[in-house]
Amino acid sequence: MLEIHELFAKVEGKQILNGLNLSIKPGEVHAIMGPNGSGKSTLGNVLTGRAGYEVISGDASFNGKNLFDLEVEERARDGLFLAFQYPVEIPGVSNMEFLKASVDARRKHLGLLDLSSFDFMKLARESSQKVSLDPAFLKRGVNEGFSGGEKKRNEIMQMMLLEPSLCILDETDSGLDIDALQVVAAGVNAMRSSSRSFIVVTHYQRLLDYIVPDYVHVLSQGKIVRTGDKELARELEAKGYGWLEEEGV
Amino acid sequence: MADAFANRRQSIPAVLNPFQQHALVLAGQQVLSDGQASILQTLRQEGAEKFKRATRPGRKVEHWKYTSVQALKTYESAGWATPAKLPEGFCSERLMTLNATRLVFVDGALDAAASDSMPAGISLFSEADSLATQLISSHLGKIAGSVDPSRQNLFAALNSAWTTEGLLIHVAQNVILEKPIYLVYISTGSNTVASQRTLVVMEQGANAQLIEHFLSADSDLADSCFVNTLTEIHIGQNAQLHHTRFNLEHESAAHVGAVHVNLMRDSVFNGFTVSEGSKFKRLDYHFNHCGQGASLRFEGVYLARHDQLIDYHTCIEHRVPHCTSQQVFHGIVGDKAKAVFNGRIHIFQDAQKTLAEMNNRNLLTSDSAEINTKPELEIYADDVKCAHGATISQLDDTSLYYLQSRGISPSQARMMLSFGFVNELLSGLPVEDVKLWLENWLRHRFSEDRSLVSETKPSGNAGADL
């Protein structure tokens, strides 16, 4: 699914990723944890191709394609999805219009016909109910005036509609109350399948009680310094990140 | 003759320039019935006098600083428009389909065939009964009339000098009009001149929605029409008016238009204006807060492309305490077009506890486009809240990235965001069908012509999240 090899990347002249390696097979859920500034969000931004996030060296192949040869929108159409840590508010562009344009682009790429407005509306309403968002939100501007939890649920709804093969959740749990967290986790769990993989970037072990990962990686100073199973997350929660650095791994 | 109006010193007796002379000749050509003359003669004479004496537009005159009236030279020998017969299907194709009372004017004359019958309270000046005559004589030409004389728009004076007919909308005390009033003003003719006058009098507790829609006939019927319009609105105590005005004429048109509003105690004016640039377009909105507790919300959208011009001057006079005004204008300017937004807020010494906000945002989509945005605040009271902001910007990089990260092409993303930049104000429109019509119109405009879409490449590393 995704193979990252010796990835070095910088942002605004500052090197953030320092030789990161990661291999993800279809159906796996990988959690990435780490202290602030360790490069967790940078990884998602580099993989999706955000301007300003510059790859210095290394490569990433996604379903056999060199990810870094593709434009932002091509990566998305190929099935890469990033749930934003801070979803963007776009007043004046309705959520429905935005979702339809996204789904149309993905379907076209897959050689599928556009959904009719009627069918799309039906699908979008169903998806919004799955994440407990009032369908009235579909008519509002993209994330306009949404609460933090509503924005995150909107991200999960987009993920459901786009049916990506690799989903990166960038601190989707940050700032969520327990109800919203359960909604988000249920949405993710409903989408788990043998052909779809997840990278769950988080600060908190709590999320991993709901989305149980196959692997937990610790990112520190731009590379993965420890890999384990879900128990590693509990250990980190109890002991913090300091002990890893002391061990000098 | 570098300019159609030379800016001469006041001490030298002003010599009328050719446009002015011709404008007065045109007034002299108008024939009034005895009835019309008895109501309008004084207004016309005073208008002509004011027009002669008015400060001439020019670079040194503050409220004409950015807009040249050179384009008006075209009309130095133009004649009055003769209303053409509208082609079959024109109204159904070009007008909004609304559940409203529709009145259609062609070059200033009512087109009865295209109009609904007039409900009680609405009449032409020429058909005014005694009550209407009384209302006309007490309000016409007197609304927002006390604004600083040096800032008065000379074209409003010209409109008075040219008034032979007009429409009175009178909403009586505590009357709530169920249906919106939809006024349509259509221009026809080639290199012709037309004038339009409308007076709205809302009595205490009245409530109404008014939509004014200016457009040109198709280009085989209308080319280079000059239109001078003035709508005066008196909003009585506790009365409320929703006012929407579309200036969507052909780009060969020249339009000088004004809306003058007096707000009495506890009254509410919710305004919306949409305009597309043309060869020459100057729109003046004057608001007078005359009674305590009056509130004004005013939103506007302007689009200019090709070599169009659009010039908005708004002027809000807060005379009394406890009033509010909120203005938001968004504009997109592309190609070699030029736009002006000048927002004046004048808070008098007595107008304590005033809350005034003004915001103007602009999107420039080409390097040769020009926007002049100028807040003009005069505040003499010491206990007020007054905020203003003006920006000229490009599309937001993060928003572009967000759309692209969902598979949307950069080209489509830019179109969506440019459209969204103006569309976000449409939620303020009260009549759903008007909102849908406008949204479709905008969507069409953005998809047929990319000159209003910001194509500027993202600058790169803005807003990095580690």
Side-chain angles (χ1 to χ4, degrees):
Chain A
M1 173 76 60
L2 179 71
E3 294 286 342
I4 303 175
H5 179 68
E6 288 295 309
L7 180 60
F8 289 79
K10 63 180 180 182
V11 186
E12 289 174 351
K14 192 176 163 198
Q15 192 165 319
I16 305 291
L17 297 182
N18 296 300
L20 186 138
N21 292 292
L22 185 63
S23 171
I24 295 175
K25 295 189 177 59
E28 292 178 350
V29 175
H30 291 243
I32 295 185
M33 304 183 75
N36 286 331
S38 59
K40 300 193 299 294
S41 285
T42 299
L43 177 62
N45 284 318
V46 167
L47 291 178
T48 52
R50 183 172 188 173
Y53 290 78
E54 197 185 327
V55 175
I56 303 166
S57 66
D59 49 51
S61 88
F62 175 53
N63 289 332
K65 284 188 191 173
N66 182 352
L67 204 51
F68 301 143
D69 285 347
L70 303 175
E71 297 294 336
V72 177
E73 65 278 10
E74 292 170 332
R75 301 180 199 194
R77 291 173 198 165
D78 269 334
L80 180 64
F81 181 88
L82 172 69
F84 279 45
Q85 183 180 2
Y86 304 111
V88 184
E89 292 197 25
I90 311 178
V93 177
S94 84
N95 219 2
M96 187 66 99
E97 183 185 359
F98 163 64
L99 295 170
K100 177 94 166 57
S102 314
V103 171
D104 283 351
R106 170 99 164 117
R107 287 180 67 90
K108 191 177 173 198
H109 182 73
L110 296 174
L112 300 168
L113 290 172
D114 276 7
L115 289 173
S116 70
S117 296
F118 180 82
D119 289 343
F120 181 77
M121 202 99 91
K122 194 161 163 268
L123 183 67
R125 283 215 191 91
E126 286 166 9
S127 308
S128 71
Q129 273 152 10
K130 282 184 196 159
V131 294
S132 309
L133 265 186
D134 186 334
F137 279 81
L138 295 168
K139 288 188 175 178
R140 285 172 46 182
V142 175
N143 292 319
E144 185 185 2
F146 288 25
S147 72
E150 286 159 354
K151 284 179 184 168
K152 298 295 176 77
R153 281 183 273 161
N154 198 13
E155 296 291 287
I156 301 301
M157 176 167 72
Q158 292 165 34
M159 188 169 87
M160 287 173 165
L161 286 167
L162 291 170
E163 303 184 340
S165 53
L166 176 62
C167 312
I168 305 169
L169 308 181
D170 189 4
E171 300 203 20
T172 300
D173 56 323
S174 294
L176 290 192
D177 63 32
I178 197 73
D179 292 339
L181 183 70
Q182 285 177 344
V183 169
V184 165
V188 171
N189 287 330
M191 288 192 68
R192 284 178 79 157
S193 80
S194 59
S195 60
R196 182 173 291 129
S197 313
F198 291 84
I199 297 175
V200 180
V201 174
T202 181
H203 259 300
Y204 309 104
Q205 183 272 334
R206 182 182 70 160
L207 175 69
L208 306 179
D209 287 340
Y210 296 94
I211 303 173
V212 182
D214 299 303
Y215 299 94
V216 174
H217 307 280
V218 178
L219 193 62
S220 178
Q221 293 177 355
K223 54 202 252 189
I224 287 171
V225 294
R226 177 72 69 103
T227 294
D229 61 11
K230 60 183 180 181
E231 292 309 317
L232 176 59
R234 290 188 195 285
E235 209 172 340
L236 288 168
E237 181 95 339
K239 293 159 78 175
Y241 295 102
W243 61 282
L244 285 169
E245 278 158 27
E246 280 161 28
E247 283 182 11
V249 282
Chain B
M1 274 304 293
D3 216 3
F5 292 86
N7 185 38
R8 296 187 173 81
R9 284 190 194 171
Q10 293 298 309
S11 55
I12 303 170
V15 176
L16 299 184
N17 68 39
F19 177 83
Q20 271 180 311
Q21 285 174 14
H22 185 64
L24 295 169
V25 169
L26 285 168
Q29 290 172 359
Q30 293 176 309
V31 183
L32 280 74
S33 67
D34 290 347
Q36 287 167 311
S38 67
I39 307 178
L40 301 172
Q41 204 52 49
T42 317
L43 178 87
R44 288 171 56 88
Q45 278 167 1
E46 286 177 1
E49 276 309 308
K50 270 191 195 167
F51 180 65
K52 279 188 223 168
R53 290 197 314 267
T55 316
R56 310 282 167 71
R59 289 211 157 269
K60 291 177 185 166
V61 179
E62 193 60 31
H63 51 289
W64 285 98
K65 197 170 173 180
Y66 306 105
T67 294
S68 156
V69 290
Q70 185 75 18
L72 300 185
K73 280 181 78 69
T74 323
Y75 302 101
E76 284 167 7
S77 59
W80 288 107
T82 319
K85 190 179 180 313
L86 295 174
E88 195 77 17
F90 181 86
C91 291
S92 56
E93 280 167 35
R94 301 279 306 278
L95 306 188
M96 288 184 264
T97 309
L98 302 177
N99 180 20
T101 302
R102 184 176 86 187
L103 300 174
V104 177
F105 293 83
V106 181
D107 301 317
L110 181 76
D111 183 330
S115 301
D116 296 328
S117 57
M118 292 194 192
I122 302 186
S123 70
L124 294 174
F125 292 173
S126 58
E127 292 167 4
D129 58 16
S130 61
L131 173 62
T133 305
Q134 196 192 324
L135 289 167
I136 292 168
S137 60
S138 53
H139 292 287
L140 194 68
K142 299 190 174 76
I143 296 191
S146 48
V147 174
D148 179 359
S150 73
R151 295 188 168 270
Q152 273 183 4
N153 183 354
L154 79 164
F155 291 106
L158 178 61
N159 187 284
S160 291
W162 279 359
T163 298
T164 57
E165 183 57 290
L167 184 73
L168 169 71
I169 298 173
H170 173 225
V171 189
Q173 187 169 347
N174 293 335
V175 167
I176 298 169
L177 286 190
E178 297 287 333
K179 278 192 191 180
I181 300 163
Y182 179 28
L183 303 182
V184 180
Y185 308 102
I186 301 165
S187 303
T188 72
S190 181
N191 210 43
T192 52
V193 171
S195 183
Q196 184 81 44
R197 186 73 168 242
T198 301
L199 173 66
V200 180
V201 180
M202 311 263 305
E203 303 272 7
Q204 181 176 328
N207 194 312
Q209 293 174 334
L210 173 64
I211 299 137
E212 298 191 274
H213 185 178
F214 293 87
L215 72 163
S216 309
D218 300 329
S219 50
D220 55 334
L221 274 180
D223 184 36
S224 284
C225 303
F226 174 86
V227 184
N228 183 334
T229 72
L230 176 57
T231 295
E232 290 178 283
I233 302 172
H234 170 89
I235 310 182
Q237 285 194 25
N238 218 24
Q240 302 198 0
L241 178 69
H242 270 282
H243 178 252
T244 306
R245 192 161 154 121
F246 291 173
N247 279 97
L248 304 176
E249 305 90 340
H250 191 260
E251 68 181 343
S252 73
H255 186 114
V256 287
V259 177
H260 292 176
V261 186
N262 277 358
L263 291 107
M264 308 317 281
R265 191 182 177 107
D266 301 322
S267 64
V268 177
F269 180 92
N270 279 314
F272 198 94
T273 166
V274 183
S275 63
E276 200 173 23
S278 64
K279 181 176 71 185
F280 180 86
K281 192 170 286 184
R282 166 68 180 244
L283 304 169
D284 280 69
Y285 274 78
H286 282 241
F287 298 98
N288 249 328
H289 286 69
C290 308
Q292 295 195 18
S295 110
L296 162 70
R297 201 174 123 215
F298 185 37
E299 288 168 336
V301 165
Y302 50 88
L303 306 173
R305 57 197 176 123
H306 304 161
D307 55 357
Q308 298 168 355
L309 165 78
I310 173 77
D311 177 348
Y312 268 102
H313 269 63
T314 71
C315 176
I316 300 176
E317 305 259 335
H318 280 282
R319 293 162 181 275
V320 292
H322 298 290
C323 292
T324 64
S325 61
Q326 288 170 292
Q327 278 184 92
V328 183
F329 269 74
H330 286 192
I332 302 185
V333 191
D335 298 329
K336 290 179 175 169
K338 178 174 174 177
V340 179
F341 176 81
N342 190 103
R344 179 165 186 261
I345 299 174
H346 181 180
I347 303 180
F348 286 67
Q349 196 170 357
D350 288 342
Q352 300 293 2
K353 305 288 179 189
T354 293
L355 177 70
E357 291 173 344
M358 176 167 64
N359 194 292
N360 174 227
R361 285 171 59 198
N362 295 281
L363 198 57
L364 283 183
T365 63
S366 107
D367 288 341
S368 38
E370 180 180 331
I371 168 76
N372 299 279
T373 174
K374 184 157 83 45
E376 203 184 322
L377 276 62
E378 275 183 59
I379 304 173
Y380 299 100
D382 54 13
D383 186 13
V384 300
K385 275 186 191 156
C386 191
H388 67 92
T391 59
I392 300 168
S393 58
Q394 316 285 351
L395 293 178
D396 175 50
D397 291 343
T398 312
S399 302
L400 269 175
Y401 164 60
Y402 190 58
L403 296 185
Q404 280 176 260
S405 80
R406 298 301 182 248
I408 298 169
S409 70
S411 152
Q412 193 184 355
R414 289 196 182 95
M415 189 173 87
M416 288 169 75
L417 293 175
S418 302
F419 166 76
F421 180 78
V422 291
N423 188 49
E424 71 170 288
L425 294 186
L426 266 56
S427 58
L429 282 167
V431 181
E432 189 64 20
D433 287 340
V434 174
K435 191 170 106 181
L436 289 176
W437 186 90
L438 183 59
E439 194 178 317
N440 280 332
W441 182 87
L442 285 170
R443 218 177 270 286
H444 175 71
R445 182 56 88 233
F446 279 89
S447 59
E448 64 154 18
D449 182 351
R450 286 197 68 93
S451 63
L452 293 170
V453 176
S454 178
E455 306 285 0
T456 315
K457 293 264 182 268
S459 58
N461 51 13
D465 302 322
L466 299 186

